[in-house]
Amino acid sequence: LTGKVVHPAVQRFGMNLGDQDFYDSGQMLRNLVFRNPGFEGAHERSILHCVQVTATGCVDDNPDAAWKAGFWDGADVRALDGSATGRVATSRPPTKANPRVGLTLAFAAPMRLRAGAYIVLEKDFPGDAATGWWTQIEGGAHLGAEFHDLSPESPGKQALRIDAQLPGQSATVSSYFDTTAGRSFLALRGHYRLSFRAKDLGRTSGGSAAALLAVSVGRANHVAYLRSAVRLTPRWENYRLDFDAHEEQAVGSSAALEFRLAGGRILLDDVSLEETADEAAGNPIAYRGAVVSALRELHPGVLRYMASHAGLGSTLENELRPPFARERTGYSAWSVQADDVPMGIGEFLALCERVRAEPWITLPAAVSDAEGAALMAYLAGPASSQYGRARALVHHPAPWLDSFARIHIEWGNEVWNQGFAGESIADPSAEAARATQFFHALRAAPGFARQKFDLVLGGQSDYPDRNRKLLAQASGFDTFATAPYLMHNLIDASTPEALFRPLLAQPEQMELAGGQVAEARDLARRLGAHLAAYETNLHTTAGSAPQAALDGFAPSLAAGIAVAEHLLRMQRDAGVQNALLFSLPQFEYRRDDGKHVRLWGSVIDMGATDRRRPQFLAARLVNEAIGDGTTDEVEAQIANGGSALAIHSANDAMAISAAHLLDVFAFASSGHHSLVLLNLDLHSSRQVALRGAGAPPAGALLHVRVLTTDSPAATNEDEERVTIRELPPISSGLPITLSPLSISVVTW
């Protein structure tokens, strides 16, 4: 330990927040029925590529898009660079006569587009108020959208109209949550409040009795925590129904909120189902207390709002609205169904402030320059401004800029990724031109402060040629970010050594000449840009390994240690300033071959068992070593180089002549010194002694916390086998024993 500073003031490792959902660990929001709580309409916004252009129309290049005839009729259209605007008159998908041509658009008036231009289409789809809910209609009952008779307290544009007034008619509107069969990801435990607005419209025939709305909350195994019959009035009222639930363990059957009407006409709006303990505990933000607790455990340096679902099709205005006014949004060329409203930017920023993490806001690639200026006003404008009033809706009138040392703003999420067709840009030259234009617009916007904002351009880790083309033409950004994932292709699962040794060696291999991290580092250095890893984890979505091997691979102790090693090496050796795990939630991923792999979530649940996967535990332990963000990384070396193995494997075609089995990372600040010691040997312990100018003084007590267990394949999926343990303190000068396959954090 020389004491020499390698990197000053290094950042703790970060986390991608991931997507809100209704079925697994992605149930992050306090409102358990968040899909479309305000019964709002939809808004679609997509990017298309005009490969054929005339003055009055263009042809997209995607013949497999799901858009039907007329879907985009009447949509607003603008060139992605803002150089032209107009309106779509008609939209026509491919025909049998010409199936390899994409959507054909005819414009209402001539537009000056160049050949190959990327355009943005936007269109509102009002109505369909029950979308995002599950419905059951009997006897000819009817559901519709109400646009005029709205509660004066509602911020939205629509309510749900339910008409089931005739004999034999009924309508049931349900919101299901925690729906994964056989496994619960949250426990209904404590005091809950169901809130909604409703109004009785009276019957048009057959009597005048006020409508009786049946309301229930329960599990599919017939456990009901709330059953109530609510007599509505002929004016808008706010209803609150309180109940208790006492699930002491995971139930494993789906939960549901259900509204049922038989014999009446009503309006329903603005529904929330929340645990009141969050509010009582002083948690005013939109995320569940269990989510806040998990993030506080991890103590991420950066939290990324990664728009990959409803957020990609959303406008900035929509993401700043209150949830009850938020429209369902879509963008994808592969689907025309928009069921969910996006999480809000204000809610996300409040979460970052709560857990003391820098925010990383990922904007859709279709964002306009005007929206960029509006975002600057929202983040930095005074309390008296339009956007200051929008902040006040999340109880934060002061500028968000005052709450954070730095705010990261990324243009587009994996803009190169055709899996996000409708939001992607295949041509790196076009991507570079638009990114440059947008970043310069942000820099020119009132409120922009160079020292407070980090403007991020994303690249493709496994396509360095594309990155070179992108970076040769782009400017205006501060950070170039890639996602160097581990172990995509798992083939050889014959022994534990075959499974885990290539994985544990891969972070070192990626930093050798030609490796993904080395390529990105060299590109960033040539440009004088910072380097970040916007996502990393395992990515085991291919290969012939059997299901049993996959079950013990991705969520294993070895995987957690490999990911932590990867994060640490990128920070030390490649100068990565921010490295973020992907992601907080997601229980498993269904691969193209039908197998399941336990990716990409780093928690198993938040609020049921609260078990964490080894990736989470390893990052948490390392973040404890790094400390409060004023810590320097200092030089540390294995004096004799340590043991090494030659590894040649079919798994990700791994080849490395000397994969080291020991590594050390050191951190120091005033009054705080720590080491992260990794033993990557699957079978043997090691002893290390600390020497040099940076070693602890004689007589100092060393505190040791360790992540290890009895098997590299151990997981926490069904029971807690992988934990962080604190060992008895040892005196400086004594050797430190490193268990097989372990991370040990030593502090003094």
Side-chain angles (χ1 to χ4, degrees):
L1 304 170
T2 68
K4 176 185 175 182
V5 174
V6 178
H7 299 294
V10 293
Q11 181 62 282
R12 298 181 307 279
F13 298 118
M15 178 65 76
N16 282 266
L17 186 59
D19 283 324
Q20 164 72 17
D21 63 41
F22 61 89
Y23 46 83
D24 70 0
S25 50
Q27 298 167 102
M28 295 184 287
L29 293 166
R30 282 173 56 183
N31 187 359
L32 300 177
V33 292
F34 185 77
R35 295 199 78 193
N36 184 15
F39 299 103
E40 294 300 295
H43 182 87
E44 295 273 347
R45 178 162 75 173
S46 300
I47 296 174
L48 282 71
H49 185 205
C50 290
V51 289
Q52 299 177 29
V53 174
T54 67
T56 57
C58 82
V59 179
D60 181 43
D61 67 349
N62 184 356
D64 301 315
W67 298 311
K68 306 298 182 185
F71 182 84
W72 288 112
D73 289 6
D76 292 326
V77 55
R78 62 178 163 88
L80 183 65
D81 63 6
S83 60
T85 60
R87 179 157 295 207
V88 174
T90 61
S91 56
R92 180 166 45 84
T95 63
K96 291 182 179 180
N98 198 359
R100 304 316 300 166
V101 171
L103 193 72
T104 299
L105 303 175
F107 302 140
M111 281 184 65
R112 291 188 175 181
L113 290 176
R114 59 175 177 77
Y118 285 86
I119 62 172
V120 178
L121 300 183
E122 291 196 58
K123 183 178 177 181
D124 283 322
F125 293 82
D128 293 331
T131 299
W133 296 73
W134 286 262
T135 62
Q136 183 177 348
I137 305 298
E138 297 181 355
H142 178 71
L143 302 175
E146 174 58 48
F147 302 105
H148 305 293
D149 187 352
L150 303 177
S151 166
E153 297 179 65
S154 177
K157 299 177 181 178
Q158 295 185 181
L160 177 66
R161 176 184 284 266
I162 306 176
D163 189 340
Q165 63 177 316
L166 299 179
Q169 290 186 337
S170 68
T172 302
V173 180
S174 304
S175 185
Y176 290 93
F177 56 98
D178 202 23
T179 60
T180 298
R183 186 184 287 264
S184 288
F185 291 89
L186 58 86
L188 296 174
R189 186 184 301 150
H191 191 71
Y192 291 80
R193 175 168 295 154
L194 171 64
S195 303
F196 59 93
R197 310 186 207 278
K199 175 182 180 178
D200 178 27
L201 294 175
R203 301 189 188 188
T204 57
S205 61
S208 59
L212 199 63
L213 180 63
V215 183
S216 66
V217 177
R219 292 278 185 177
N221 58 2
H222 306 295
V223 176
Y225 301 116
L226 170 67
R227 287 192 189 278
S228 183
V230 181
R231 184 74 67 181
L232 304 184
T233 73
R235 61 183 180 276
W236 278 105
E237 302 274 9
N238 297 329
Y239 295 90
R240 294 179 176 84
L241 305 177
D242 287 16
F243 64 95
D244 293 303
H246 303 286
E247 295 177 356
E248 295 304 322
Q249 57 187 0
V251 176
S253 64
S254 62
L257 161 66
E258 180 180 289
F259 295 101
R260 185 176 187 276
L261 179 68
R265 295 188 308 140
I266 71 166
L267 299 176
L268 181 66
D269 208 358
D270 298 350
V271 182
S272 70
L273 174 60
E274 298 185 359
E275 185 181 5
T276 58
D278 277 334
E279 188 172 338
N283 176 26
I285 64 174
Y287 293 84
R288 294 193 296 117
V291 176
V292 176
S293 295
L295 287 170
R296 282 180 162 169
E297 279 179 43
L298 182 69
H299 200 195
V302 179
L303 193 59
R304 183 170 178 249
Y305 176 90
M306 191 274 289
S308 72
H309 185 38
L312 279 183
S314 186
T315 62
L316 178 72
E317 178 190 4
N318 193 49
E319 290 182 311
L320 299 184
R321 290 173 181 153
F324 291 150
R326 211 167 289 159
E327 294 174 314
R328 299 174 284 110
T329 49
Y331 73 92
S332 178
W334 313 124
S335 172
V336 295
Q337 181 72 22
D339 293 328
D340 298 273
V341 303
M343 293 186 289
I345 288 178
E347 297 144 32
F348 167 73
L349 290 167
L351 176 64
C352 291
E353 186 177 51
R354 188 81 169 180
V355 303
R356 298 181 181 179
E358 291 179 0
W360 180 314
I361 301 170
T362 304
L363 297 171
V367 66
S368 68
D369 290 352
E371 287 177 292
L375 177 62
M376 282 296 126
Y378 180 73
L379 295 172
S384 58
S385 68
Q386 171 190 353
Y387 291 101
R389 291 190 292 273
R391 288 195 306 265
L393 294 176
V394 286
H395 314 295
H396 203 283
W400 286 112
L401 209 57
D402 297 346
S403 297
F404 305 106
R406 203 158 178 81
I407 296 176
H408 310 265
I409 299 177
E410 181 182 15
W411 172 75
N413 177 66
E414 297 190 352
V415 177
W416 48 267
N417 191 340
Q418 290 301 299
F420 297 129
E423 176 62 14
S424 59
I425 300 172
D427 178 6
S429 297
E431 180 183 352
R434 177 56 192 145
T436 297
Q437 181 184 32
F438 183 69
F439 289 141
H440 284 290
L442 285 184
R443 292 180 182 279
F448 181 84
R450 182 177 57 83
Q451 71 278 12
K452 296 284 283 187
F453 288 102
D454 172 34
L455 304 186
V456 183
L457 177 65
Q460 187 174 0
S461 288
D462 56 356
Y463 198 168
D465 286 345
R466 190 183 196 283
N467 292 338
R468 281 190 276 273
K469 292 175 183 176
L470 174 68
L471 295 176
Q473 301 173 73
S475 65
F477 61 95
D478 303 295
T479 294
F480 176 58
T482 64
Y485 277 89
L486 300 173
M487 206 49 63
H488 292 70
N489 192 26
L490 192 66
I491 296 171
D492 186 356
S494 57
T495 65
E497 290 76 10
L499 267 176
F500 297 120
R501 278 180 174 162
L503 170 63
L504 293 163
Q506 196 168 28
E508 185 173 5
Q509 185 268 342
M510 292 176 80
E511 293 186 356
L512 300 177
Q516 287 185 12
V517 174
E519 290 273 2
R521 176 198 62 207
D522 294 345
L523 280 171
R525 284 178 179 173
R526 283 199 292 271
L527 291 167
H530 302 307
L531 181 63
Y534 66 88
E535 294 175 10
T536 194
N537 201 332
L538 272 63
H539 200 302
T540 315
T541 55
S544 58
Q547 184 65 60
L550 294 174
D551 291 345
F553 184 72
S556 67
L557 169 69
I561 289 178
V563 168
E565 179 196 9
H566 191 34
L567 293 168
L568 286 160
R569 278 185 167 276
M570 287 192 292
Q571 182 183 73
R572 182 190 65 191
D573 301 336
V576 167
Q577 293 205 342
N578 291 288
L580 288 75
L581 265 173
F582 187 80
S583 64
L584 183 65
Q586 188 171 356
F587 182 61
E588 65 184 9
Y589 173 79
R590 182 180 175 85
R591 306 186 341 166
D592 291 344
D593 60 7
K595 295 174 184 173
H596 291 81
V597 60
R598 296 288 172 87
L599 291 173
W600 273 274
S602 57
V603 301
I604 294 169
D605 64 59
M606 295 175 284
T609 68
D610 288 317
R611 291 199 301 269
R612 316 302 188 207
R613 283 177 170 154
Q615 284 92 326
F616 182 102
L617 296 174
R620 170 189 164 183
L621 188 58
V622 172
N623 279 348
E624 290 174 4
I626 294 174
D628 64 3
T630 62
T631 303
D632 298 332
E633 183 163 12
V634 294
E635 188 177 53
Q637 298 172 344
I638 305 295
N640 63 1
S643 303
L645 292 175
I647 295 175
H648 299 273
S649 172
N651 297 339
D652 262 9
M654 268 291 297
I656 181 169
S657 60
H660 291 89
L661 298 180
L662 290 179
D663 211 343
V664 57
F665 305 84
F667 304 93
S669 64
S670 176
H672 175 83
H673 300 265
S674 62
L675 297 177
V676 181
L677 291 155
L678 283 83
N679 181 7
L680 305 180
D681 194 312
L682 297 177
H683 304 296
S684 300
S685 62
R686 293 284 193 278
Q687 283 194 329
V688 297
L690 308 183
R691 300 285 184 266
L701 278 182
L702 309 184
H703 301 275
V704 183
R705 286 162 62 77
V706 60
L707 180 71
T708 190
T709 191
D710 57 355
S711 168
T715 77
N716 287 337
E717 298 302 291
D718 298 308
E719 62 176 318
E720 193 169 56
R721 296 182 58 195
V722 184
T723 60
I724 297 171
R725 294 185 291 116
E726 185 150 0
L727 303 183
I730 62 175
S731 176
S732 63
L734 295 177
I736 300 168
T737 300
L738 308 181
S739 300
L741 191 58
S742 63
I743 301 177
S744 299
V745 169
V746 182
T747 59
W748 66 93

